[in-house]
């Protein structure tokens, strides 16, 4: 919708200030607890400048880069869903008085978030959760409001982690839509720039206040080269053609038993997944018994409780829970919401304590017949 | 997006108009809306989420419309914490209600056909409004049969209505139990054994089944063997349910959300998963 422009690191700092001035709470990547997580940014100094992440199945470390890149990492354990679909939220309160019950809905969240550093796979993840919470017959008003108020500043990936497979999922590495602004970091011979393009009126307006300079053809090609590099680096892949039929036809494949022997049913994959949306509710009362509340919190299909039905769990084995998660993510999601539930961000691979790799599991079922396979690293080609 | 619509996650206050015992462990709640403008429309097969103050919420199917049309009757088995709390309610108490939710029995689609209803235990509760709807426009349907099974005679629901269903509406009501003592003079055996004892044209029959999964599995098998087509068999599924509106993910059954795509399903659409364990 407009020509790309260039800002420098001062411009990036100004962008954060400008957003704050406009009343946004700016959320973005920062180093905490030896990981790059998303949190409130006070200034450009909170960004993980000079840091990168090292990822493999069951492995995550941050380490120093030999340059000063601000966005020289891939993705960490957090995703933006923690702001749009919070891990814990009160739904309503109820008061009991003289036999009467008064139910008071929680007022919907009105914080205006600006997300800085949204990766292409994450833009897709947000769109996927939109399908769940606002595009169906019922609307989650709290989500809708948070979503509508949010400003999204995407940052193109110029490197990928060995756990990434967005190219297979058609979700990256280049941000194509769904952002207000998109940045590509260009770092060359100590010259530090960001190629910026607006994706919405709001983004265009912001750009106007930043005083950027026009980008040259060479800047654009440098940015493109960076994104191309991220795609080239990608070593994991997943075949998505006919994946729904493949999984539905193999619900009793012996591979489910094999993966269940390794799976700890810990729910890490569902917590770090940017699209997993399941939740449960907790009803609580105070000591007088007259005040009650209902809280919603993230839940996982890996817990026993999840499928509890009068007297027992429907999915009592780890096998059935892993199968539920993976077939939902890659197959039934397509029937439910019109797309895969996987964006290829690789978080579930990285944060699995035993290194179970979803791409490897798909491949194992695909190669039906060969029932033996070696775990670890198998997802790499 | 409709902003004027109430938040589907927030219950509305309803008053207990009446509560009565149906069997030794099952009771019915007649609930009336406390708000003035709340509607009482529902389709047979749909359910409400009932909230017992401070205890929790459970999905309960609507077993009838209230007498004056302003509310709903729910038949509930006292089996868990929340249903036990609901059992303690007294007339005039207030509870929370969300709904109605879910899909319905194919009443309109059954016009011109024979209808076979098969229920196991409390499975008769969500089928009763379907029976009422069939009887209300009785002439639109051919033979109607109700095959009802329970574990013991004392578990049978709505027995005082059977005579009117038989006599006034010509419904073939066949009842059977798994176990009984000598005071029981009726049938003993599984509900599928009743199928040959009622009249229906298998090629022109819609079947509606609600009961434990194992009972439904055999019922489908038997109906199929009698020549009823898969597209004319409807079953209900049950799974853990928290939100009832497709947000919480708990009630998934393959690609279906029981809360919004079910609980009533056409058999051929759930067939691939129907006999799999732990889905």
């Amino acid at each position: 919708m407009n020509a790309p422009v260039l800002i420098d690191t001062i411009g990036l700092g100004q962008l954060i200030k400008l957003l704050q001035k406009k009343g946004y709470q700016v959320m973005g990547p920062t180093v905490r607890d030896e990981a790059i997580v998303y949190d409130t940014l006070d200034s450009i100094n909170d960004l993980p400048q000079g840091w990168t992440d090292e990822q493999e199945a069951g492995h995550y470390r941050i380490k120093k880069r030999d340059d000063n890149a601000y966005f020289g990492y891939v993705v960490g354990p957090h995703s933006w869903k923690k702001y749009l679909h919070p891990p814990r939220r009160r739904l309503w309160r109820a008061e009991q008085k003289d036999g009467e019950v008064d139910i008071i809905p929680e007022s919907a969240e009105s914080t205006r978030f600006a997300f800085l550093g949204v990766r292409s796979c994450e833009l897709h993840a947000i769109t996927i959760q939109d399908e769940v919470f606002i595009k169906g017959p019922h609307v989650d008003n709290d989500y809708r409001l948070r979503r509508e108020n949010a400003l999204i500043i995407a940052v193109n990936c110029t490197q990928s982690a060995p756990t990434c497979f967005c190219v297979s999922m058609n979700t990256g590495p280049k941000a194509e839509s769904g952002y207000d602004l998109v940045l590509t970091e260009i770092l060359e011979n100590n010259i530090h720039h960001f190629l910026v393009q607006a994706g919405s009126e709001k983004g265009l307006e912001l750009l106007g206040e930043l005083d950027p300079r026009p980008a040259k053809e060479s800047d654009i090609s440098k940015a493109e080269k960076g994104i191309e590099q991220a795609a080239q680096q990608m070593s994991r892949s997943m075949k998505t053609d006919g994946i729904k039929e493949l999984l539905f036809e193999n619900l009793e494949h012996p591979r489910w038993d094999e993966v269940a022997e390794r799976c700890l049913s810990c729910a890490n994959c569902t917590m770090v997944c940017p699209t997993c949306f399941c939740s449960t509710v907790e009803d609580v009362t105070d000591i007088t018994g007259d005040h009650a509340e209902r809280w919603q919190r993230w839940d996982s299909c890996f817990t026993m409780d999840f499928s509890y039905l009068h007297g027992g769990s429907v999915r009592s084995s780890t096998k059935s829970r892993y199968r539920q998660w993976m077939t939902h993510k890659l197959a039934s999601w397509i029937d439910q919401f019109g797309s895969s539930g996987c964006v290829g961000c690789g978080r579930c691979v990285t944060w699995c304590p035993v290194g179970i790799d979803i791409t490897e599991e798909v491949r194992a079922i695909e190669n039906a017949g060969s029932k033996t396979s070696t775990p670890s690293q198998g997802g790499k080609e | 997006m409709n902003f004027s619509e109430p938040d589907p996650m927030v219950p509305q206050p309803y008053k207990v108009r009446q509560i009565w015992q149906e069997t030794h462990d099952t009771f019915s709640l007649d609930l009336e809306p406390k708000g003035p403008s709340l509607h009482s429309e529902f389709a047979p097969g749909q359910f409400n989420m009932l909230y017992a103050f401070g205890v929790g919420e459970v999905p309960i199917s609507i077993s009838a419309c209230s007498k004056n049309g302003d509310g709903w009757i729910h038949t509930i088995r006292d089996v868990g914490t929340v249903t036990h709390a609901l059992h303690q309610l007294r007339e005039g108490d207030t509870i929370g209600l969300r709904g109605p939710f879910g899909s319905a029995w194919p009443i309109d689609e059954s016009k011109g056909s024979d209808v076979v209803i098969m229920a196991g235990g409390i499975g008769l509760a969500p089928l009763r409004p379907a029976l009422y709807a069939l009887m209300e426009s009785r002439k639109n349907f051919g033979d109607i049969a109700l095959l009802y099974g329970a574990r013991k005679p004392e578990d049978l629901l709505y027995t005082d209505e059977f005579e009117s269903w038989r006599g006034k509406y010509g419904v073939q009501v066949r009842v059977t139990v798994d176990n009984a003592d000598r005071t029981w003079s009726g049938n003993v055996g599984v509900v599928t054994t009743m199928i040959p004892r009622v009249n229906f044209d298998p090629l022109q029959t819609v079947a509606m089944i609600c009961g434990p999964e194992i009972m439904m599995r055999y019922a489908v098998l038997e109906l199929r063997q009698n020549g009823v087509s898969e597209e004319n068999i409807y079953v209900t599924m049950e799974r853990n349910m928290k939100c009832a509106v497709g947000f919480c993910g708990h009630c998934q059954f393959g690609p279906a959300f029981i809360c919004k795509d079910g609980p009533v399903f056409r058999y051929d659409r759930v067939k691939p998963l129907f006999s799999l364990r732990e889905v």
Side-chain angles (χ1 to χ4, degrees):
Chain A
M1 77 186 286
N2 55 82
V5 291
L6 221 53
I7 59 168
D8 55 14
T9 54
I10 295 168
L12 179 65
Q14 284 170 342
L15 174 61
I16 295 174
K17 293 285 165 233
L18 179 64
L19 291 167
Q20 288 163 342
K21 216 176 86 187
K22 286 178 178 288
Y24 287 103
Q25 191 173 346
V26 183
M27 319 307 292
T30 195
V31 174
R32 201 179 69 208
D33 300 335
E34 295 175 58
I36 293 167
V37 298
Y38 298 147
D39 208 338
T40 308
L41 301 180
D42 286 332
S43 74
I44 189 170
N45 297 328
D46 290 332
L47 289 171
Q49 190 181 19
W51 287 98
T52 190
D53 47 21
E54 182 185 278
Q55 304 194 44
E56 243 315 330
H59 176 93
Y60 178 93
R61 297 284 182 277
I62 54 168
K63 58 180 191 187
K64 275 288 187 187
R65 293 175 63 91
D66 50 18
D67 62 21
N68 283 323
Y70 283 101
F71 299 97
Y73 62 93
V74 184
V75 284
H78 287 182
S79 70
W80 307 99
K81 80 172 178 185
K82 71 170 182 161
Y83 299 116
L84 297 173
H85 173 49
R88 204 158 178 274
R89 178 166 79 90
R90 186 165 63 191
L91 294 176
W92 44 261
R93 295 175 295 124
E95 307 283 341
Q96 187 172 250
K97 209 173 161 190
D98 310 324
E100 294 293 311
V101 175
D102 200 11
I103 297 168
I104 309 135
E106 198 72 2
S107 54
E109 172 63 48
S110 59
T111 305
R112 293 164 72 221
F113 291 116
F115 300 149
L116 173 61
V118 183
R119 301 300 191 181
S120 179
C121 58
E122 300 183 307
L123 290 171
H124 283 266
I126 292 171
T127 312
I128 287 171
Q129 286 212 330
D130 288 350
E131 287 292 326
V132 178
F133 294 122
I134 47 187
K135 301 283 174 68
H138 299 281
V139 174
D140 181 331
N141 267 321
D142 186 73
Y143 179 93
R144 179 186 60 80
L145 208 62
R146 288 165 185 266
R147 180 72 175 93
E148 283 173 0
N149 284 338
L151 186 101
I152 293 181
I153 301 170
V155 173
N156 280 317
C157 289
T158 49
Q159 69 179 65
S160 58
T163 42
C164 293
F165 54 102
C166 65
V167 170
S168 298
M169 305 316 290
N170 234 336
T171 54
K174 189 179 181 182
E176 305 281 2
S177 63
Y179 52 77
D180 295 292
L181 285 178
V182 59
L183 316 183
T184 313
E185 187 165 26
I186 308 169
L187 186 56
E188 206 181 48
N189 306 326
N190 285 328
I191 308 170
H192 205 158
H193 281 124
F194 298 91
L195 188 78
V196 193
Q197 199 160 9
S200 71
E201 285 299 327
K202 264 194 282 185
L204 209 56
E205 206 177 295
L206 277 170
L207 263 190
E209 294 181 52
L210 279 180
D211 195 23
R213 52 191 183 79
K216 291 195 290 276
E217 229 10 86
S218 61
D219 300 318
I220 298 171
S221 77
K222 274 178 214 161
E224 288 298 329
K225 239 172 82 184
I227 300 168
E228 185 54 32
Q229 176 180 296
Q232 294 294 337
Q233 282 173 355
M234 220 160 289
S235 53
R236 268 185 171 76
S237 66
M238 186 190 285
K239 204 175 126 201
T240 55
D241 273 357
I243 195 166
K244 187 176 100 176
E245 293 71 21
L246 174 77
L247 295 180
F248 283 164
E249 282 160 17
N250 284 289
L251 292 173
E252 309 225 68
H253 194 278
R255 181 68 185 190
W256 302 116
D257 290 305
E258 289 169 38
V259 71
E261 278 177 31
R262 301 164 60 211
C263 176
L264 306 175
S265 209
C266 73
N268 261 18
C269 50
T270 54
M271 296 293 107
V272 296
C273 177
T275 68
C276 271
F277 59 84
C278 288
S279 63
T280 188
V281 288
E282 283 165 355
D283 288 281
V284 292
T285 45
D286 71 355
I287 200 159
T288 67
D290 290 334
H291 311 276
E293 296 185 348
R294 170 163 297 172
W295 287 75
Q296 182 186 58
R297 65 162 173 79
W298 287 357
D299 200 1
S300 169
C301 52
F302 279 95
T303 68
M304 269 291 236
D305 265 5
F306 192 85
S307 62
Y308 184 88
L309 193 62
H310 33 74
S313 288
V314 173
R315 296 182 206 107
S316 57
S317 69
T318 302
K319 166 194 164 177
S320 67
R321 301 205 284 274
Y322 189 86
R323 181 178 69 183
Q324 167 61 25
W325 177 70
M326 195 170 114
T327 54
H328 180 220
K329 186 79 29 190
L330 300 174
S332 41
W333 208 297
I334 299 170
D335 287 325
Q336 294 169 350
F337 303 109
S339 78
S340 173
C342 176
V343 295
C345 71
R347 283 182 178 88
C348 60
V349 183
T350 298
W351 295 93
C352 175
V354 296
I356 294 172
D357 174 353
I358 191 170
T359 67
E360 182 192 338
E361 294 312 308
V362 171
R363 202 164 290 124
I365 287 177
E366 208 179 296
N367 303 335
S370 65
K371 288 172 191 169
T372 48
S373 68
T374 42
S376 84
Q377 310 302 310
K380 295 185 79 177
E381 286 181 344
Chain B
M1 268 177 266
N2 188 345
F3 300 99
S4 59
E5 245 177 51
D7 188 329
M9 295 294 276
V10 180
Q12 303 297 319
Y14 273 67
K15 206 170 95 182
V16 177
R17 180 160 28 210
Q18 215 185 330
I19 176 167
W20 65 95
Q21 206 65 23
E22 295 280 6
T23 70
H24 60 104
D25 64 353
T26 303
F27 60 100
S28 283
L29 273 181
D30 185 352
L31 300 174
E32 68 178 307
K34 290 187 89 169
S37 63
L38 289 164
H39 64 92
S40 292
E41 283 145 34
F42 83 107
Q46 287 193 304
F47 66 94
N48 285 320
M49 297 297 286
L50 302 189
Y51 169 65
F53 186 86
V55 183
E57 203 178 37
V58 279
I60 302 286
S61 55
I62 299 169
S63 66
C65 207
S66 300
K67 257 204 192 78
N68 301 322
D70 55 344
W72 296 296
I73 295 168
H74 305 77
T75 302
I76 305 162
R77 200 152 74 93
D78 181 347
V79 278
T81 322
V82 180
T83 50
H84 189 66
L86 292 172
H87 201 176
Q88 309 308 311
L89 291 168
R90 292 292 162 257
E91 276 161 37
D93 286 349
T94 303
I95 70 164
L97 181 150
R98 301 189 288 130
F101 299 116
S103 62
W105 298 111
I107 304 299
D108 281 345
E109 296 87 328
S110 306
K111 277 185 182 153
S113 303
D114 293 343
V115 180
V116 173
I117 290 178
M118 296 180 74
I122 192 142
L124 185 56
L127 279 164
R128 186 170 68 168
L131 258 173
Y132 287 161
L134 295 171
M135 293 187 295
E136 197 177 291
S137 51
R138 182 68 188 86
K139 61 179 188 332
N140 289 331
F141 306 94
D143 286 327
I144 300 177
L146 167 65
L147 313 180
Y148 181 35
R151 262 181 288 183
K152 296 185 298 282
E154 57 266 37
D155 295 327
L156 291 165
L157 283 174
Y158 314 136
T159 45
D160 55 346
E161 294 183 60
F162 292 172
E163 271 326 299
S164 116
W165 295 353
R166 281 190 183 111
K168 197 166 159 200
Y169 299 101
V171 176
Q172 311 167 71
V173 180
R174 294 271 190 266
V175 178
T176 181
V177 295
D178 296 339
N179 294 296
D181 61 21
R182 61 181 64 188
T183 59
W184 173 251
S185 56
N187 299 296
V188 175
V190 292
V191 69
T192 45
T193 57
M194 300 283 114
I195 293 176
R197 304 212 204 160
V198 290
N199 293 322
F200 64 97
D201 174 1
L203 301 177
Q204 295 279 333
T205 290
V206 175
M208 307 178 196
I209 316 171
C210 183
E213 277 183 41
I214 179 84
M215 167 261 177
M216 294 197 290
R217 228 169 277 155
Y218 281 103
V220 169
L221 202 71
E222 203 67 31
L223 288 165
R224 293 283 298 119
Q225 276 171 5
N226 275 270
V228 180
S229 78
E230 288 175 353
E231 301 83 55
N232 284 334
I233 299 175
Y234 291 78
V235 295
T236 49
M237 293 304 301
E238 196 180 6
R239 283 293 178 269
N240 183 306
M241 207 177 272
K242 298 290 182 196
C243 75
V245 289
F247 298 156
C248 81
H250 278 254
C251 70
Q252 288 177 79
F253 178 63
F257 288 88
I258 305 277
C259 67
K260 54 177 190 179
D261 305 317
V264 177
F265 292 96
R266 213 173 82 176
Y267 173 69
D268 57 322
R269 296 189 176 141
V270 288
K271 185 187 170 189
L273 298 173
F274 203 64
S275 50
L276 269 182
R277 289 175 56 80
E278 296 195 284
V279 174

